[in-house]
Amino acid sequence: MPSITTTDVVVLGAGAAGMMCAIEAGRRGRSVAVIDHAKAPGEKIRISGGGRCNFTNMHCAPANFLSENKHFAISALKSFTQHDFIARVKARGIAFHEKTLGQLFCDGSAREIIAMLTDDMRDAGVRLELATDIQEVGQVEGGFETRTSSGTWHSQSLVIATGGKSIPKMGATGLGYDIARQFGHSVTETRAGLVPFTWASNMHESWGGLSGASLDVQASCNGAEFDEAMLFTHRGLSGPAMLQLSSYWREGDSVTIDLAPGSNLAAHIKAERGKRPKVSAWTVIGEVLPKRLAQQLGQAAGDKVSRLADLSNAAIDEIVAGIHSFSLVPGGTEGYRTAEVTLGGVDTAKVNQKTMESRLVPGLHFIGEVMDVTGHLGGHNFQWAWSSGVAAGRSA
């Protein structure tokens, strides 16, 4: 007969949010078990930031998050801020540095963050059950029953920290959404976020050859605008600017890109016309933009005028306008396979924003990526994991 273990809190998921929640609950004297099907905890932490973990952002604020309820994240983010997590990192002696736009990374390895969390769980008396499949979850008298491949757990509180669908090769599933629906919660539309775009079929052959070229751009879509780097790949467009926009993009929408933000390109070309009248406009543009990109833009424009001397001011202005407002309709995105996050999730309407507790089922909590709260690129999603985890851990 399968064993039955009784504990105060069961946390499903040993990721950033789940471990943070377990630490807080354990420190309150609650008995806690964290269950995950993975063989190691914190796998998304381990691979993030090129193995150095972009663990938070100095400028993290509610404005950095997408949700059908844009106010939902405010309470948790204020209750446990990026500065609170940074204090824990410093106390642990983990060296870190700030990159662009407030992004904080470990100087060494992301494994240092994982070790900090697992050590804190151990010190708080948390039991960690890995390589354990979750088979069935239900309500019983006094709380919840969680049946797993290694036995059954009875708990007063149940915390769903199973993440979203992004990066399925790491074991990501929609389990958390299924559990939410089982208990009467609705789930908003889910889709891949912070993910590279793919070329439309009519652009793949000609534009795919720019793979490896990168530049700083100002990119916009559906009212969102980002000033960051863009990278051309064989498959499409990547880099921070494109990953950010992907969270706002819908199939069929166009993306507008200023390929030379902040530059007075028209004045530069007109000045060069007086110095080098026989030179092509696209040659001059190739001295400002990546050369291969300038050549491709010229080919795409079908420009047959080769000499600057033959271009009027109006013609130069028209060429430059196309560079400052380059527009395309992506064919799609690379999907969950390479997405950093899942947009959408458990609807926040029936969840307490201070405790992450279900308003439908007392003792049931949802935290982290499984919820309809998605951060911008740059450490914001980890901060949501820390903040929502702490919020639930203080009440579960």
Side-chain angles (χ1 to χ4, degrees), residues 54-59 96-107:
N54 180 192
F55 57 83
T56 193
N57 192 291
M58 290 295 293
H59 312 305
F96 64 91
H97 59 280
E98 180 179 345
K99 282 193 175 181
T100 58
L101 304 174
Q103 301 170 44
L104 300 186
F105 291 78
C106 298
D107 286 357

mmCIF file of all heavy atoms in Angstrom, residues 54-59 96-107:
data_model
loop_
_atom_site.group_PDB
_atom_site.id
_atom_site.type_symbol
_atom_site.label_atom_id
_atom_site.label_comp_id
_atom_site.label_asym_id
_atom_site.label_seq_id
_atom_site.Cartn_x
_atom_site.Cartn_y
_atom_site.Cartn_z
ATOM 1 N N ASN A 54 20.284 35.954 -14.714
ATOM 2 C CA ASN A 54 19.850 37.349 -14.579
ATOM 3 C C ASN A 54 18.754 37.364 -13.508
ATOM 4 O O ASN A 54 17.567 37.353 -13.800
ATOM 5 C CB ASN A 54 19.328 37.842 -15.930
ATOM 6 C CG ASN A 54 18.843 39.273 -15.926
ATOM 7 O OD1 ASN A 54 18.209 39.699 -16.875
ATOM 8 N ND2 ASN A 54 19.123 40.024 -14.864
ATOM 9 N N PHE A 55 19.195 37.384 -12.226
ATOM 10 C CA PHE A 55 18.292 37.035 -11.123
ATOM 11 C C PHE A 55 17.308 38.124 -10.710
ATOM 12 O O PHE A 55 16.329 37.846 -10.031
ATOM 13 C CB PHE A 55 19.089 36.549 -9.904
ATOM 14 C CG PHE A 55 20.117 37.533 -9.391
ATOM 15 C CD1 PHE A 55 19.749 38.552 -8.537
ATOM 16 C CD2 PHE A 55 21.461 37.401 -9.740
ATOM 17 C CE1 PHE A 55 20.696 39.449 -8.044
ATOM 18 C CE2 PHE A 55 22.414 38.286 -9.262
ATOM 19 C CZ PHE A 55 22.030 39.319 -8.414
ATOM 20 N N THR A 56 17.542 39.375 -11.094
ATOM 21 C CA THR A 56 16.545 40.426 -10.880
ATOM 22 C C THR A 56 16.952 41.639 -11.693
ATOM 23 O O THR A 56 17.916 41.608 -12.456
ATOM 24 C CB THR A 56 16.386 40.793 -9.391
ATOM 25 O OG1 THR A 56 15.201 41.586 -9.230
ATOM 26 C CG2 THR A 56 17.577 41.559 -8.839
ATOM 27 N N ASN A 57 16.201 42.720 -11.517
ATOM 28 C CA ASN A 57 16.483 43.963 -12.234
ATOM 29 C C ASN A 57 16.366 45.130 -11.262
ATOM 30 O O ASN A 57 15.408 45.215 -10.491
ATOM 31 C CB ASN A 57 15.499 44.134 -13.390
ATOM 32 C CG ASN A 57 15.913 45.233 -14.350
ATOM 33 O OD1 ASN A 57 15.884 46.408 -14.002
ATOM 34 N ND2 ASN A 57 16.296 44.848 -15.555
ATOM 35 N N MET A 58 17.340 46.025 -11.301
ATOM 36 C CA MET A 58 17.364 47.172 -10.392
ATOM 37 C C MET A 58 16.129 48.060 -10.530
ATOM 38 O O MET A 58 15.730 48.740 -9.591
ATOM 39 C CB MET A 58 18.621 48.012 -10.647
ATOM 40 C CG MET A 58 19.920 47.347 -10.223
ATOM 41 S SD MET A 58 20.023 47.105 -8.437
ATOM 42 C CE MET A 58 20.101 48.818 -7.875
ATOM 43 N N HIS A 59 15.534 48.049 -11.722
ATOM 44 C CA HIS A 59 14.419 48.963 -11.997
ATOM 45 C C HIS A 59 13.073 48.242 -12.051
ATOM 46 O O HIS A 59 12.120 48.769 -12.616
ATOM 47 C CB HIS A 59 14.671 49.698 -13.314
ATOM 48 C CG HIS A 59 16.041 50.296 -13.436
ATOM 49 N ND1 HIS A 59 16.547 51.177 -12.484
ATOM 50 C CD2 HIS A 59 17.023 50.131 -14.358
ATOM 51 C CE1 HIS A 59 17.778 51.529 -12.833
ATOM 52 N NE2 HIS A 59 18.089 50.910 -13.948
ATOM 53 N N PHE A 96 28.151 39.693 -7.951
ATOM 54 C CA PHE A 96 27.299 39.943 -9.119
ATOM 55 C C PHE A 96 27.646 41.284 -9.733
ATOM 56 O O PHE A 96 28.372 42.089 -9.162
ATOM 57 C CB PHE A 96 25.821 39.877 -8.725
ATOM 58 C CG PHE A 96 25.385 40.930 -7.739
ATOM 59 C CD1 PHE A 96 24.886 42.155 -8.162
ATOM 60 C CD2 PHE A 96 25.471 40.689 -6.364
ATOM 61 C CE1 PHE A 96 24.479 43.123 -7.242
ATOM 62 C CE2 PHE A 96 25.065 41.655 -5.436
ATOM 63 C CZ PHE A 96 24.573 42.866 -5.885
ATOM 64 N N HIS A 97 27.109 41.517 -10.925
ATOM 65 C CA HIS A 97 27.365 42.775 -11.622
ATOM 66 C C HIS A 97 26.112 43.212 -12.367
ATOM 67 O O HIS A 97 25.227 42.400 -12.647
ATOM 68 C CB HIS A 97 28.528 42.622 -12.609
ATOM 69 C CG HIS A 97 28.312 41.564 -13.653
ATOM 70 N ND1 HIS A 97 28.505 40.217 -13.391
ATOM 71 C CD2 HIS A 97 27.892 41.637 -14.934
ATOM 72 C CE1 HIS A 97 28.239 39.513 -14.481
ATOM 73 N NE2 HIS A 97 27.850 40.347 -15.432
ATOM 74 N N GLU A 98 26.071 44.508 -12.680
ATOM 75 C CA GLU A 98 24.939 45.061 -13.415
ATOM 76 C C GLU A 98 25.320 45.228 -14.879
ATOM 77 O O GLU A 98 26.362 45.793 -15.214
ATOM 78 C CB GLU A 98 24.538 46.418 -12.831
ATOM 79 C CG GLU A 98 23.347 47.061 -13.547
ATOM 80 C CD GLU A 98 22.942 48.396 -12.941
ATOM 81 O OE1 GLU A 98 23.374 48.692 -11.808
ATOM 82 O OE2 GLU A 98 22.197 49.133 -13.608
ATOM 83 N N LYS A 99 24.467 44.710 -15.737
ATOM 84 C CA LYS A 99 24.644 44.923 -17.174
ATOM 85 C C LYS A 99 23.733 46.071 -17.596
ATOM 86 O O LYS A 99 23.344 46.903 -16.783
ATOM 87 C CB LYS A 99 24.333 43.644 -17.946
ATOM 88 C CG LYS A 99 25.459 42.612 -17.889
ATOM 89 C CD LYS A 99 25.236 41.506 -18.916
ATOM 90 C CE LYS A 99 26.410 40.555 -18.936
ATOM 91 N NZ LYS A 99 26.223 39.480 -19.951
ATOM 92 N N THR A 100 23.365 46.125 -18.860
ATOM 93 C CA THR A 100 22.538 47.210 -19.346
ATOM 94 C C THR A 100 21.147 47.178 -18.731
ATOM 95 O O THR A 100 20.624 46.121 -18.368
ATOM 96 C CB THR A 100 22.395 47.134 -20.872
ATOM 97 O OG1 THR A 100 21.832 45.856 -21.223
ATOM 98 C CG2 THR A 100 23.738 47.287 -21.549
ATOM 99 N N LEU A 101 20.534 48.350 -18.616
ATOM 100 C CA LEU A 101 19.137 48.489 -18.207
ATOM 101 C C LEU A 101 18.818 47.830 -16.862
ATOM 102 O O LEU A 101 17.734 47.299 -16.657
ATOM 103 C CB LEU A 101 18.217 47.929 -19.301
ATOM 104 C CG LEU A 101 18.403 48.539 -20.698
ATOM 105 C CD1 LEU A 101 17.544 47.811 -21.718
ATOM 106 C CD2 LEU A 101 18.056 50.026 -20.668
ATOM 107 N N GLY A 102 19.796 47.852 -15.939
ATOM 108 C CA GLY A 102 19.546 47.382 -14.581
ATOM 109 C C GLY A 102 19.576 45.885 -14.371
ATOM 110 O O GLY A 102 19.223 45.392 -13.292
ATOM 111 N N GLN A 103 20.012 45.128 -15.377
ATOM 112 C CA GLN A 103 20.015 43.669 -15.266
ATOM 113 C C GLN A 103 21.175 43.197 -14.384
ATOM 114 O O GLN A 103 22.320 43.565 -14.621
ATOM 115 C CB GLN A 103 20.145 43.036 -16.659
ATOM 116 C CG GLN A 103 19.027 43.434 -17.606
ATOM 117 C CD GLN A 103 19.312 43.007 -19.032
ATOM 118 O OE1 GLN A 103 19.760 41.899 -19.272
ATOM 119 N NE2 GLN A 103 19.062 43.896 -19.982
ATOM 120 N N LEU A 104 20.867 42.357 -13.386
ATOM 121 C CA LEU A 104 21.893 41.849 -12.473
ATOM 122 C C LEU A 104 22.188 40.383 -12.769
ATOM 123 O O LEU A 104 21.277 39.561 -12.865
ATOM 124 C CB LEU A 104 21.432 42.004 -11.021
ATOM 125 C CG LEU A 104 21.144 43.430 -10.550
ATOM 126 C CD1 LEU A 104 20.854 43.428 -9.052
ATOM 127 C CD2 LEU A 104 22.293 44.376 -10.877
ATOM 128 N N PHE A 105 23.463 40.058 -12.889
ATOM 129 C CA PHE A 105 23.935 38.705 -13.186
ATOM 130 C C PHE A 105 24.984 38.282 -12.158
ATOM 131 O O PHE A 105 25.733 39.109 -11.650
ATOM 132 C CB PHE A 105 24.607 38.645 -14.564
ATOM 133 C CG PHE A 105 23.691 38.819 -15.735
ATOM 134 C CD1 PHE A 105 23.244 40.079 -16.103
ATOM 135 C CD2 PHE A 105 23.291 37.727 -16.491
ATOM 136 C CE1 PHE A 105 22.406 40.245 -17.194
ATOM 137 C CE2 PHE A 105 22.458 37.881 -17.583
ATOM 138 C CZ PHE A 105 22.017 39.140 -17.934
ATOM 139 N N CYS A 106 25.057 36.991 -11.905
ATOM 140 C CA CYS A 106 26.144 36.456 -11.084
ATOM 141 C C CYS A 106 27.467 36.631 -11.821
ATOM 142 O O CYS A 106 27.538 36.453 -13.031
ATOM 143 C CB CYS A 106 25.926 34.965 -10.821
ATOM 144 S SG CYS A 106 24.446 34.552 -9.903
ATOM 145 N N ASP A 107 28.513 36.964 -11.075
ATOM 146 C CA ASP A 107 29.852 36.987 -11.679
ATOM 147 C C ASP A 107 30.276 35.570 -12.053
ATOM 148 O O ASP A 107 30.958 35.357 -13.052
ATOM 149 C CB ASP A 107 30.876 37.565 -10.701
ATOM 150 C CG ASP A 107 30.758 39.075 -10.553
ATOM 151 O OD1 ASP A 107 29.922 39.684 -11.251
ATOM 152 O OD2 ASP A 107 31.498 39.634 -9.716
#
